Amino acid sequence: MVNIVALRAAVVAYAGVSVALAVTNIQHIDRNSHVQAHDHGNSFGMRATHSISLKRQLYRTGQLHRLNAKARTRIVHKTAYYGQLEVGTPRQRFVVVFDTGSGNLMIPSTSCQTRACQMHSRFDRQASATAEDYEADGSHTRRGAARDEITVTFGTGEITGVFIQDDVCIGNLCSNVRFVGATSETDDPFSSFNFDGVLGLALPQMAQGPEFSVMDRLVSNEALKNPRFSVFLSDSATENSEITFGDVKSEHMASEMHWQPVSRPTGYWQVEIKDITINNKPQQLCNDCQVAVDTGTSQLAGPTHVIEELSHRLNVKSDCSNYDELPKLGFVMGGNVLNLKPQDYVDKGNEGCEVSLMPLDVPPPNGPLFIFGDPFLRKYYTSYDRGENKIGFAVANHAGMAENEPSALLLSLDGAITHGEDAPTDATAFLARTKGH
Protein backbone atom coordinates (compact mmCIF):
# COMPACT_ATOMS: atom_id res chain seq x y z
CA MET A 1 0.00 0.00 0.00
CA VAL A 2 1.26 3.45 -0.92
CA ASN A 3 0.67 6.24 1.61
CA ILE A 4 0.54 9.83 0.38
CA VAL A 5 0.17 12.71 2.84
CA ALA A 6 -1.18 15.78 1.06
CA LEU A 7 -1.29 19.05 2.93
CA ARG A 8 -4.48 20.97 2.36
CA ALA A 9 -4.69 24.24 4.27
CA ALA A 10 -7.98 24.15 6.12
CA VAL A 11 -11.56 24.80 5.26
CA VAL A 12 -11.03 24.00 1.63
CA ALA A 13 -12.66 20.69 0.91
CA TYR A 14 -16.32 20.47 -0.02
CA ALA A 15 -16.95 24.14 0.72
CA GLY A 16 -16.63 24.41 4.43
CA VAL A 17 -15.40 21.15 5.93
CA SER A 18 -12.51 22.14 8.18
CA VAL A 19 -9.42 20.16 7.26
CA ALA A 20 -5.83 20.98 8.05
CA LEU A 21 -4.43 17.69 6.79
CA ALA A 22 -5.89 15.41 4.15
CA VAL A 23 -4.39 11.92 4.37
CA THR A 24 -4.56 10.01 1.13
CA ASN A 25 -4.16 6.23 0.98
CA ILE A 26 -3.87 4.31 -2.26
CA GLN A 27 -4.44 0.57 -2.08
CA HIS A 28 -5.34 -2.35 -4.36
CA ILE A 29 -8.83 -3.83 -4.34
CA ASP A 30 -10.28 -6.71 -6.35
CA ARG A 31 -12.72 -5.49 -8.99
CA ASN A 32 -13.41 -6.50 -12.56
CA SER A 33 -12.85 -3.69 -14.99
CA HIS A 34 -12.14 -3.10 -18.63
CA VAL A 35 -10.40 -0.64 -20.87
CA GLN A 36 -12.17 0.74 -23.90
CA ALA A 37 -10.42 2.61 -26.70
CA HIS A 38 -12.28 5.61 -27.99
CA ASP A 39 -12.12 8.58 -30.30
CA HIS A 40 -12.44 12.06 -28.77
CA GLY A 41 -14.75 13.55 -31.36
CA ASN A 42 -15.86 16.48 -29.23
CA SER A 43 -15.45 20.27 -29.22
CA PHE A 44 -11.70 20.15 -28.58
CA GLY A 45 -9.34 22.79 -29.98
CA MET A 46 -11.96 25.55 -30.23
CA ARG A 47 -10.92 28.77 -28.48
CA ALA A 48 -13.93 30.02 -26.56
CA THR A 49 -15.28 31.33 -23.27
CA HIS A 50 -18.07 29.94 -21.14
CA SER A 51 -19.81 31.18 -18.01
CA ILE A 52 -21.61 28.96 -15.52
CA SER A 53 -24.22 30.25 -13.10
CA LEU A 54 -23.53 29.13 -9.55
CA LYS A 55 -26.23 28.26 -7.04
CA ARG A 56 -25.82 29.18 -3.41
CA GLN A 57 -26.40 26.96 -0.36
CA LEU A 58 -26.52 28.51 3.11
CA TYR A 59 -26.13 26.33 6.17
CA ARG A 60 -24.98 26.40 9.78
CA THR A 61 -22.63 24.00 11.49
CA GLY A 62 -20.96 23.57 14.85
CA GLN A 63 -17.21 24.06 14.95
CA LEU A 64 -14.64 23.67 17.71
CA HIS A 65 -13.02 27.07 18.12
CA ARG A 66 -9.74 27.67 19.97
CA LEU A 67 -8.48 31.15 20.72
CA ASN A 68 -6.35 32.49 23.57
CA ALA A 69 -6.02 28.98 25.05
CA LYS A 70 -9.81 28.63 25.30
CA ALA A 71 -11.81 26.00 23.43
CA ARG A 72 -15.54 25.88 22.79
CA THR A 73 -18.01 24.92 20.10
CA ARG A 74 -19.66 27.75 18.21
CA ILE A 75 -22.19 27.96 15.41
CA VAL A 76 -20.55 28.94 12.12
CA HIS A 77 -22.51 30.23 9.13
CA LYS A 78 -21.25 28.76 5.87
CA THR A 79 -21.98 29.15 2.19
CA ALA A 80 -21.39 26.85 -0.76
CA TYR A 81 -21.45 27.91 -4.43
CA TYR A 82 -21.81 25.22 -7.06
CA GLY A 83 -22.53 24.81 -10.78
CA GLN A 84 -22.96 22.26 -13.53
CA LEU A 85 -20.56 20.23 -15.62
CA GLU A 86 -20.94 17.08 -17.72
CA VAL A 87 -18.90 13.88 -17.94
CA GLY A 88 -18.83 11.02 -20.43
CA THR A 89 -20.47 10.03 -23.72
CA PRO A 90 -23.39 10.54 -23.71
CA ARG A 91 -22.97 13.36 -21.20
CA GLN A 92 -23.96 12.82 -17.57
CA ARG A 93 -24.69 15.96 -15.54
CA PHE A 94 -23.28 16.82 -12.13
CA VAL A 95 -23.18 19.89 -9.90
CA VAL A 96 -19.84 20.62 -8.30
CA VAL A 97 -18.02 23.22 -6.23
CA PHE A 98 -15.37 24.94 -8.39
CA ASP A 99 -12.53 24.82 -5.89
CA THR A 100 -9.24 26.71 -6.29
CA GLY A 101 -7.97 24.97 -3.14
CA SER A 102 -7.83 21.44 -4.55
CA GLY A 103 -6.57 19.85 -7.74
CA ASN A 104 -8.79 16.92 -8.73
CA LEU A 105 -12.31 16.29 -9.97
CA MET A 106 -14.15 14.03 -7.52
CA ILE A 107 -17.71 12.82 -8.17
CA PRO A 108 -19.76 9.87 -6.88
CA SER A 109 -19.95 6.76 -9.05
CA THR A 110 -22.64 4.09 -9.36
CA SER A 111 -20.22 1.74 -7.58
CA CYS A 112 -20.89 3.79 -4.43
CA GLN A 113 -23.86 2.50 -2.45
CA THR A 114 -23.50 4.61 0.69
CA ARG A 115 -26.36 6.93 1.66
CA ALA A 116 -24.34 10.06 0.85
CA CYS A 117 -23.69 8.86 -2.70
CA GLN A 118 -27.26 7.72 -3.31
CA MET A 119 -28.52 11.19 -2.40
CA HIS A 120 -26.57 12.65 -5.33
CA SER A 121 -26.03 12.10 -9.04
CA ARG A 122 -23.60 9.24 -9.66
CA PHE A 123 -21.34 8.64 -12.66
CA ASP A 124 -22.28 5.48 -14.53
CA ARG A 125 -18.97 4.36 -15.94
CA GLN A 126 -20.54 1.49 -17.91
CA ALA A 127 -22.92 3.91 -19.66
CA SER A 128 -20.10 6.05 -21.08
CA ALA A 129 -18.57 4.98 -24.38
CA THR A 130 -15.47 7.10 -23.74
CA ALA A 131 -14.60 6.05 -20.16
CA GLU A 132 -11.31 4.32 -19.36
CA ASP A 133 -10.04 2.84 -16.08
CA TYR A 134 -6.59 3.74 -14.75
CA GLU A 135 -4.35 2.86 -11.82
CA ALA A 136 -2.32 5.11 -9.52
CA ASP A 137 0.85 4.63 -11.60
CA GLY A 138 -0.90 5.82 -14.76
CA SER A 139 -1.29 2.40 -16.35
CA HIS A 140 -4.54 1.09 -17.79
CA THR A 141 -6.51 -1.28 -15.62
CA ARG A 142 -6.29 -4.90 -16.74
CA ARG A 143 -9.48 -6.92 -16.92
CA GLY A 144 -10.00 -8.76 -13.63
CA ALA A 145 -6.94 -7.17 -12.00
CA ALA A 146 -6.93 -5.44 -8.63
CA ARG A 147 -7.91 -1.77 -8.74
CA ASP A 148 -6.03 1.02 -7.03
CA GLU A 149 -8.30 2.91 -4.65
CA ILE A 150 -7.66 6.33 -3.19
CA THR A 151 -9.01 7.48 0.18
CA VAL A 152 -9.06 11.17 1.03
CA THR A 153 -9.90 12.36 4.54
CA PHE A 154 -11.81 15.64 4.80
CA GLY A 155 -12.18 16.75 8.41
CA THR A 156 -14.76 14.44 9.99
CA GLY A 157 -15.43 12.47 6.80
CA GLU A 158 -13.71 10.69 3.97
CA ILE A 159 -14.14 9.70 0.33
CA THR A 160 -12.79 6.53 -1.28
CA GLY A 161 -12.66 6.12 -5.06
CA VAL A 162 -10.99 4.77 -8.18
CA PHE A 163 -9.28 6.49 -11.11
CA ILE A 164 -11.29 7.03 -14.31
CA GLN A 165 -10.54 9.00 -17.46
CA ASP A 166 -13.29 10.48 -19.62
CA ASP A 167 -14.43 13.59 -21.44
CA VAL A 168 -15.30 16.41 -19.03
CA CYS A 169 -17.30 19.33 -20.44
CA ILE A 170 -17.93 22.78 -19.01
CA GLY A 171 -20.57 23.94 -21.46
CA ASN A 172 -18.91 23.38 -24.85
CA LEU A 173 -15.40 23.50 -23.36
CA CYS A 174 -14.33 19.87 -23.26
CA SER A 175 -11.19 17.96 -22.41
CA ASN A 176 -10.26 14.34 -21.70
CA VAL A 177 -9.41 14.28 -18.00
CA ARG A 178 -8.60 11.76 -15.29
CA PHE A 179 -10.71 11.99 -12.13
CA VAL A 180 -11.76 10.15 -8.99
CA GLY A 181 -15.05 8.24 -9.09
CA ALA A 182 -16.14 7.78 -5.49
CA THR A 183 -16.94 4.24 -4.38
CA SER A 184 -17.67 5.27 -0.78
CA GLU A 185 -18.57 8.51 1.04
CA THR A 186 -19.24 8.92 4.72
CA ASP A 187 -22.65 10.25 5.71
CA ASP A 188 -21.06 13.08 7.69
CA PRO A 189 -20.65 15.59 6.17
CA PHE A 190 -21.40 14.77 2.54
CA SER A 191 -25.11 13.93 2.88
CA SER A 192 -25.80 17.53 3.96
CA PHE A 193 -24.58 19.11 0.71
CA ASN A 194 -26.72 19.96 -2.32
CA PHE A 195 -23.82 19.46 -4.73
CA ASP A 196 -22.44 16.15 -5.99
CA GLY A 197 -18.69 16.72 -5.89
CA VAL A 198 -15.73 19.03 -6.33
CA LEU A 199 -13.83 20.25 -9.39
CA GLY A 200 -10.32 21.20 -8.29
CA LEU A 201 -8.92 24.28 -10.04
CA ALA A 202 -5.68 24.64 -8.07
CA LEU A 203 -2.34 24.78 -9.85
CA PRO A 204 -1.08 21.41 -11.16
CA GLN A 205 1.16 20.74 -8.14
CA MET A 206 -2.06 20.12 -6.19
CA ALA A 207 -3.43 17.54 -8.64
CA GLN A 208 -2.83 13.80 -8.43
CA GLY A 209 -0.98 14.10 -11.75
CA PRO A 210 -0.94 16.26 -14.91
CA GLU A 211 -3.83 14.29 -16.41
CA PHE A 212 -6.06 15.33 -13.47
CA SER A 213 -5.78 19.11 -13.92
CA VAL A 214 -8.93 20.17 -15.80
CA MET A 215 -7.75 23.75 -16.26
CA ASP A 216 -4.35 22.75 -17.63
CA ARG A 217 -5.96 20.28 -20.01
CA LEU A 218 -8.26 23.00 -21.35
CA VAL A 219 -5.28 25.32 -21.78
CA SER A 220 -3.11 22.71 -23.53
CA ASN A 221 -6.01 21.80 -25.84
CA GLU A 222 -6.29 25.50 -26.77
CA ALA A 223 -9.96 25.35 -25.82
CA LEU A 224 -9.93 28.73 -24.05
CA LYS A 225 -9.89 32.23 -25.53
CA ASN A 226 -7.50 33.17 -22.71
CA PRO A 227 -5.77 30.79 -20.24
CA ARG A 228 -7.73 32.01 -17.23
CA PHE A 229 -10.96 31.69 -15.28
CA SER A 230 -12.74 34.31 -13.18
CA VAL A 231 -15.09 34.05 -10.19
CA PHE A 232 -17.93 36.36 -9.14
CA LEU A 233 -19.79 35.48 -5.92
CA SER A 234 -23.08 37.16 -5.09
CA ASP A 235 -23.73 38.71 -1.69
CA SER A 236 -27.53 38.41 -1.87
CA ALA A 237 -30.33 36.39 -3.44
CA THR A 238 -31.04 39.19 -5.94
CA GLU A 239 -28.03 38.50 -8.17
CA ASN A 240 -26.38 35.46 -9.71
CA SER A 241 -22.92 34.12 -8.97
CA GLU A 242 -20.87 32.76 -11.86
CA ILE A 243 -17.54 31.37 -12.95
CA THR A 244 -16.22 32.30 -16.38
CA PHE A 245 -13.65 30.18 -18.20
CA GLY A 246 -11.47 31.93 -20.75
CA ASP A 247 -12.06 35.58 -19.89
CA VAL A 248 -12.63 38.42 -17.38
CA LYS A 249 -16.08 40.05 -17.43
CA SER A 250 -15.93 43.80 -16.95
CA GLU A 251 -19.55 44.00 -15.79
CA HIS A 252 -18.51 42.28 -12.56
CA MET A 253 -15.84 44.89 -11.81
CA ALA A 254 -16.43 48.10 -9.83
CA SER A 255 -12.72 49.03 -10.06
CA GLU A 256 -9.80 48.21 -12.28
CA MET A 257 -8.23 44.77 -11.95
CA HIS A 258 -4.97 44.61 -9.98
CA TRP A 259 -2.75 41.61 -10.67
CA GLN A 260 -0.40 39.86 -8.27
CA PRO A 261 2.01 37.03 -9.19
CA VAL A 262 1.69 33.61 -7.60
CA SER A 263 4.37 33.80 -4.94
CA ARG A 264 5.30 30.16 -4.30
CA PRO A 265 5.11 26.90 -6.30
CA THR A 266 2.94 25.09 -3.73
CA GLY A 267 -0.06 24.38 -5.94
CA TYR A 268 -2.18 27.01 -4.20
CA TRP A 269 -3.28 30.16 -5.96
CA GLN A 270 -1.33 32.15 -3.39
CA VAL A 271 0.15 35.64 -3.26
CA GLU A 272 2.19 37.69 -0.82
CA ILE A 273 0.57 40.09 1.64
CA LYS A 274 2.91 42.74 3.03
CA ASP A 275 0.90 43.69 6.11
CA ILE A 276 -2.54 43.96 7.70
CA THR A 277 -4.30 47.29 8.23
CA ILE A 278 -7.08 48.51 10.52
CA ASN A 279 -8.86 51.53 9.04
CA ASN A 280 -5.96 51.70 6.55
CA LYS A 281 -3.36 51.98 9.31
CA PRO A 282 -0.56 49.37 9.06
CA GLN A 283 -0.36 47.04 12.04
CA GLN A 284 3.07 45.44 11.44
CA LEU A 285 1.38 42.12 12.20
CA CYS A 286 2.29 40.08 9.19
CA ASN A 287 5.29 41.14 7.17
CA ASP A 288 5.67 39.18 3.93
CA CYS A 289 2.93 36.68 4.80
CA GLN A 290 1.28 34.41 2.26
CA VAL A 291 -2.42 34.04 1.42
CA ALA A 292 -4.17 31.34 -0.59
CA VAL A 293 -7.29 32.48 -2.44
CA ASP A 294 -9.74 29.61 -2.06
CA THR A 295 -13.14 29.43 -3.75
CA GLY A 296 -13.86 26.13 -2.00
CA THR A 297 -14.08 27.44 1.56
CA SER A 298 -16.62 29.65 3.28
CA GLN A 299 -14.26 31.13 5.87
CA LEU A 300 -11.23 33.32 6.46
CA ALA A 301 -8.30 31.76 8.30
CA GLY A 302 -4.77 32.65 9.36
CA PRO A 303 -1.87 31.89 11.70
CA THR A 304 -3.00 31.53 15.31
CA HIS A 305 -0.68 34.16 16.77
CA VAL A 306 -1.75 36.72 14.15
CA ILE A 307 -5.46 35.98 14.58
CA GLU A 308 -5.21 36.24 18.37
CA GLU A 309 -3.46 39.62 18.22
CA LEU A 310 -5.75 40.86 15.46
CA SER A 311 -8.84 39.86 17.47
CA HIS A 312 -7.47 41.81 20.43
CA ARG A 313 -6.90 44.95 18.33
CA LEU A 314 -10.29 44.76 16.59
CA ASN A 315 -11.96 44.49 20.03
CA VAL A 316 -15.26 43.01 18.84
CA LYS A 317 -17.66 43.01 21.81
CA SER A 318 -19.42 39.69 22.34
CA ASP A 319 -22.74 41.49 22.90
CA CYS A 320 -22.35 43.34 19.57
CA SER A 321 -22.55 46.69 21.37
CA ASN A 322 -19.75 48.20 19.24
CA TYR A 323 -20.63 46.49 15.96
CA ASP A 324 -21.60 49.72 14.19
CA GLU A 325 -18.28 51.36 15.17
CA LEU A 326 -15.99 48.52 14.11
CA PRO A 327 -13.17 49.41 11.67
CA LYS A 328 -12.31 48.20 8.20
CA LEU A 329 -9.86 45.28 8.11
CA GLY A 330 -7.39 45.45 5.23
CA PHE A 331 -4.66 43.41 3.60
CA VAL A 332 -1.75 44.99 1.72
CA MET A 333 -1.13 43.36 -1.67
CA GLY A 334 1.34 44.97 -4.04
CA GLY A 335 0.54 48.66 -4.07
CA ASN A 336 -2.99 48.40 -2.69
CA VAL A 337 -4.96 47.80 0.49
CA LEU A 338 -7.92 45.47 0.01
CA ASN A 339 -10.44 46.15 2.78
CA LEU A 340 -13.18 44.09 4.39
CA LYS A 341 -16.10 45.56 6.34
CA PRO A 342 -17.25 44.27 9.77
CA GLN A 343 -19.99 42.15 8.19
CA ASP A 344 -17.24 40.33 6.29
CA TYR A 345 -15.03 39.43 9.26
CA VAL A 346 -17.53 39.26 12.16
CA ASP A 347 -19.91 36.35 12.75
CA LYS A 348 -23.04 38.06 14.07
CA GLY A 349 -25.98 35.97 15.27
CA ASN A 350 -28.33 35.22 18.13
CA GLU A 351 -25.34 34.10 20.21
CA GLY A 352 -23.68 37.49 19.82
CA CYS A 353 -20.67 38.74 17.85
CA GLU A 354 -17.26 37.18 17.31
CA VAL A 355 -14.36 37.60 14.91
CA SER A 356 -14.94 34.94 12.27
CA LEU A 357 -11.30 34.47 11.28
CA MET A 358 -10.34 30.89 12.06
CA PRO A 359 -6.92 30.15 13.62
CA LEU A 360 -4.94 27.91 11.27
CA ASP A 361 -1.30 26.91 11.48
CA VAL A 362 0.12 25.55 8.24
CA PRO A 363 3.76 24.52 8.71
CA PRO A 364 6.55 25.48 6.28
CA PRO A 365 7.19 25.30 3.40
CA ASN A 366 3.52 26.02 2.55
CA GLY A 367 2.93 28.16 5.64
CA PRO A 368 2.47 30.32 7.54
CA LEU A 369 -0.54 30.93 5.40
CA PHE A 370 -3.81 32.87 5.36
CA ILE A 371 -6.85 31.47 3.59
CA PHE A 372 -9.23 33.89 1.85
CA GLY A 373 -12.58 32.19 1.29
CA ASP A 374 -16.10 33.34 0.45
CA PRO A 375 -16.25 36.48 2.69
CA PHE A 376 -13.31 37.93 0.76
CA LEU A 377 -14.48 36.60 -2.60
CA ARG A 378 -17.88 38.25 -2.26
CA LYS A 379 -16.12 41.60 -1.90
CA TYR A 380 -13.59 41.06 -4.71
CA TYR A 381 -13.98 39.69 -8.21
CA THR A 382 -10.98 37.44 -8.84
CA SER A 383 -9.33 36.09 -11.97
CA TYR A 384 -6.81 33.24 -12.13
CA ASP A 385 -4.38 33.43 -15.04
CA ARG A 386 -2.65 30.14 -15.83
CA GLY A 387 -0.63 31.63 -18.68
CA GLU A 388 1.31 33.99 -16.40
CA ASN A 389 0.51 32.39 -13.01
CA LYS A 390 -1.05 35.50 -11.50
CA ILE A 391 -4.26 36.46 -9.69
CA GLY A 392 -6.34 39.54 -10.45
CA PHE A 393 -8.38 41.41 -7.83
CA ALA A 394 -11.11 43.99 -8.50
CA VAL A 395 -13.88 45.29 -6.26
CA ALA A 396 -16.93 43.19 -7.11
CA ASN A 397 -19.75 45.12 -8.73
CA HIS A 398 -22.84 44.21 -6.71
CA ALA A 399 -26.40 45.41 -7.26
CA GLY A 400 -27.24 48.47 -5.19
CA MET A 401 -23.61 49.31 -4.43
CA ALA A 402 -23.04 52.87 -3.23
CA GLU A 403 -21.06 55.05 -5.64
CA ASN A 404 -18.22 55.62 -3.18
CA GLU A 405 -17.97 52.04 -1.92
CA PRO A 406 -15.28 50.83 -4.39
CA SER A 407 -12.95 53.67 -3.40
CA ALA A 408 -13.51 52.89 0.29
CA LEU A 409 -12.64 49.22 -0.21
CA LEU A 410 -9.66 49.33 -2.56
CA LEU A 411 -7.03 51.87 -1.53
CA SER A 412 -3.93 52.67 -3.56
CA LEU A 413 -0.76 53.13 -1.52
CA ASP A 414 0.50 55.87 -3.80
CA GLY A 415 -1.77 58.21 -1.87
CA ALA A 416 -4.71 58.10 -4.27
CA ILE A 417 -7.76 55.98 -3.75
CA THR A 418 -9.01 54.05 -6.75
CA HIS A 419 -11.18 56.33 -8.93
CA GLY A 420 -9.00 59.35 -8.11
CA GLU A 421 -10.26 60.49 -4.71
CA ASP A 422 -7.83 61.78 -2.10
CA ALA A 423 -6.37 59.18 0.21
CA PRO A 424 -6.56 59.56 3.97
CA THR A 425 -3.46 60.85 5.72
CA ASP A 426 -2.66 57.50 7.31
CA ALA A 427 -2.39 55.83 3.89
CA THR A 428 0.03 58.50 2.67
CA ALA A 429 2.11 58.07 5.82
CA PHE A 430 2.17 54.34 5.26
CA LEU A 431 3.48 54.90 1.74
CA ALA A 432 6.30 57.07 3.06
CA ARG A 433 7.33 54.41 5.55
CA THR A 434 7.11 51.68 2.92
CA LYS A 435 9.24 53.55 0.40
CA GLY A 436 11.79 54.35 3.05
CA HIS A 437 12.74 50.69 3.41
Side-chain angles (χ1 to χ4, degrees), residues 129-371:
T130 47
E132 297 181 79
D133 298 311
Y134 279 84
E135 302 308 317
D137 63 0
S139 63
H140 284 92
T141 298
R142 293 174 298 160
R143 184 184 297 273
R147 288 297 307 273
D148 284 346
E149 227 178 37
I150 182 173
T151 297
V152 182
T153 301
F154 295 115
T156 59
E158 67 179 27
I159 297 176
T160 298
V162 294
F163 302 108
I164 304 170
Q165 185 161 312
D166 209 338
D167 297 342
V168 174
C169 294
I170 301 168
N172 288 324
L173 301 173
C174 298
S175 187
N176 195 247
V177 177
R178 210 163 294 176
F179 61 93
V180 176
T183 56
S184 176
E185 292 183 356
T186 55
D187 193 60
D188 180 22
F190 305 114
S191 62
S192 65
F193 299 135
N194 293 342
F195 49 89
D196 305 313
V198 170
L199 172 58
L201 291 172
L203 292 165
Q205 297 94 326
M206 195 78 72
Q208 192 72 24
E211 303 86 359
F212 289 79
S213 178
V214 173
M215 184 61 186
D216 271 28
R217 300 287 276 188
L218 290 173
V219 171
S220 63
N221 290 340
E222 298 186 343
L224 300 175
K225 176 184 175 182
N226 295 298
R228 63 172 63 125
F229 62 93
S230 306
V231 178
F232 174 80
L233 298 186
S234 67
D235 62 358
S236 71
T238 62
E239 59 185 1
N240 294 322
S241 303
E242 73 173 10
I243 181 170
T244 300
F245 286 86
D247 213 348
V248 174
K249 299 182 78 170
S250 59
E251 59 261 41
H252 290 316
M253 298 165 51
S255 73
E256 63 179 299
M257 181 79 72
H258 297 275
W259 294 92
Q260 290 295 306
V262 171
S263 52
R264 292 182 183 176
T266 61
Y268 296 108
W269 286 99
Q270 78 179 64
V271 298
E272 180 184 348
I273 53 177
K274 296 180 178 178
D275 199 2
I276 298 172
T277 64
I278 295 178
N279 275 344
N280 298 316
K281 295 180 181 179
Q283 300 298 302
Q284 302 299 318
L285 269 177
C286 198
N287 296 319
D288 299 326
C289 283
Q290 301 288 311
V291 59
V293 186
D294 191 347
T295 60
T297 177
S298 57
Q299 291 183 284
L300 304 172
T304 298
H305 71 282
V306 177
I307 298 302
E308 288 181 347
E309 179 60 28
L310 189 57
S311 297
H312 173 72
R313 297 187 190 187
L314 290 170
N315 191 31
V316 177
K317 301 295 186 184
S318 60
D319 62 359
C320 303
S321 59
N322 67 340
Y323 182 80
D324 292 335
E325 290 78 43
L326 289 173
K328 294 192 294 289
L329 173 63
F331 299 87
V332 181
M333 295 185 193
N336 301 283
V337 179
L338 281 67
N339 279 300
L340 298 176
K341 292 185 174 181
Q343 60 262 38
D344 306 315
Y345 68 82
V346 174
D347 198 3
K348 184 182 182 184
N350 295 332
E351 301 84 6
C353 287
E354 188 172 19
V355 175
S356 59
L357 280 76
M358 188 181 81
L360 167 69
D361 293 309
V362 178
N366 290 348
L369 188 70
F370 277 84
I371 304 291

Side-chain angles (χ1 to χ4, degrees), residues 393-430:
F393 302 89
V395 176
N397 185 24
H398 291 298
M401 174 179 283
E403 186 176 350
N404 65 344
E405 186 168 354
S407 60
L409 289 173
L410 182 56
L411 182 75
S412 173
L413 293 182
D414 64 5
I417 302 178
T418 304
H419 298 306
E421 298 183 17
D422 292 335
T425 304
D426 49 31
T428 307
F430 176 45

